[in-house]
Amino acid sequence: NHPSSRILRNFYHASPAEARPSILGLSASPVVNGKIGNLGLLESNLNAISRTPRIHRDEMLQFIHQPKLIKLMYLPNSSELIAPPALESLREVYERLDIEQDPWVIKMKSDRSTCNAKALEKALISNRTYCHDQIKGLYDKALAIHQELGSFAAEYYIRQSVAKLRRGADEGSFIIEGLTDPEKLYLRRKFAEVVVFEREGCPLESHHTTPKVQALIQCLRKMDSSTFAGLIFVRTRAEVAVLSHILSIQAPRFKVATFVGESGFSGRRNTVSDLADLKTQKGTLDDLRLGRKNLIVTTNALEEGIDVSACNVVICFDRPPNLKSFIQRRGRARRAASKYVIMFEDNGLQSSAIWTWHELEEDMRRTYMDELRLLQNIQRLESVEETADRELLVRSSG
């Protein structure tokens, strides 16, 4: 029921056959999930046939280097992760929030128009304002980073986020669309209550990171950094910023950079919890091509649609969310003797899905190459009895 699918059903298929445009579409994976039957549905919606090269495949395969798939296992986190002081301090600030003190609530109470009264009632019932969401968003992301990357990562993330707000406020560059000066002052005052200690000179020990991060670092240390060119895919923008910092400390032989997506949605607001600096990443891909950087930590922004130099290592910090991501990420490792590393928790519950995707991909390839499907579709169309509301009558013949 995707909007694009409805457009095709309601307009494309409803138009005369001669008026329909003929379009060649290229894709590494035409289906997103692991259901081979969806390929037929896609073909029906597009009035198309999925094809893959059949002639000269041997010659083509000489220039296609399938990377070696490697499962990188890591131990689960210990039963109790000790929260760093900064995370505990942020939690206390969040739990002490009083919505009655929020500048937006105070403003709404001073103007009791009908519209404002409804908005105020909704905010008080949900206990949510934009300032409240900023603080809650930072706490939720810091908590997730603590679980995923460890105490050092959570503390670094909070420290950088608070410093970004303070620095922006001092320089007048802290801009969040639609935020009033009283709201900015309120946020700055609340974040000033978060106790964050500087870690200058303090070494990053292994117990400050999760077993997952330690497994990744051990994997990188075994690789030859002189010939290395790789990508690490993570789920969130916050993880990009924090993990790249950890790797710059724990794996200094690698020249680490970051890359996240640039939202084209003009209504998207800047947030305190987003550490991404889009200005600094403009030259990231060129740096990779020229060898100035050899390891990029990224989100799914580099899965497709952006020209990335051929890498010899691609690492998925988490299991790819679907078959399409699995194939697209693997396609970034195009050099000969490349490696495609996927990380799994050592519980045996996730890794079987990867091998299932291998089987599904082979099923799709066989489906693309099946010449009989085209013949069967033609025969099916020819066997349909045509019905018409009008008939041709030649009077001279009766």
Side-chain angles (χ1 to χ4, degrees), residues 87-214:
L87 184 58
E88 282 296 304
S89 178
L90 179 59
R91 178 185 61 80
E92 292 172 2
V93 170
Y94 168 61
E95 292 178 349
R96 289 198 307 264
L97 286 177
D98 182 0
I99 198 170
E100 297 287 346
Q101 298 177 3
D102 189 285
W104 183 86
V105 172
I106 295 172
K107 180 182 178 182
M108 291 297 103
K109 283 187 173 182
S110 66
D111 181 2
R112 288 288 187 173
S113 65
T114 303
C115 180
N116 287 351
K118 290 182 179 180
L120 178 61
E121 181 184 11
K122 181 179 178 180
L124 293 175
I125 292 174
S126 64
N127 198 38
R128 289 186 60 184
T129 63
Y130 189 63
C131 287
H132 185 281
D133 287 350
Q134 288 282 311
I135 299 171
K136 181 180 185 299
L138 179 61
Y139 175 67
D140 288 344
K141 289 181 180 178
L143 195 62
I145 284 177
H146 180 232
Q147 293 288 330
E148 191 76 0
L149 305 180
S151 59
F152 174 89
E155 196 165 12
Y156 171 79
Y157 176 64
I158 296 170
R159 182 169 61 251
Q160 293 299 111
S161 298
V162 172
K164 170 190 172 184
L165 186 145
R166 292 174 179 170
R167 183 172 58 252
D170 292 339
E171 299 172 355
S173 59
F174 177 60
I175 300 174
I176 297 181
E177 292 80 0
L179 209 61
T180 63
D181 288 338
E183 288 174 310
K184 293 178 184 178
L185 182 62
Y186 176 77
L187 275 179
R188 185 180 183 185
R189 189 168 64 248
K190 286 302 175 184
F191 281 118
E193 298 175 12
V194 179
V195 180
V196 182
F197 298 102
E198 294 296 330
R199 294 187 58 92
E200 294 295 334
C202 297
L204 173 54
E205 306 289 347
S206 60
H207 63 272
H208 294 148
T209 57
T210 59
K212 187 175 184 179
V213 174
Q214 295 168 29

Side-chain angles (χ1 to χ4, degrees), residues 306-327:
I306 297 177
D307 182 28
V308 179
S309 296
C311 300
N312 59 3
V313 177
V314 170
I315 300 175
C316 297
F317 196 63
D318 302 281
R319 167 186 161 181
N322 50 51
L323 174 62
K324 178 184 176 183
S325 289
F326 172 77
I327 295 174

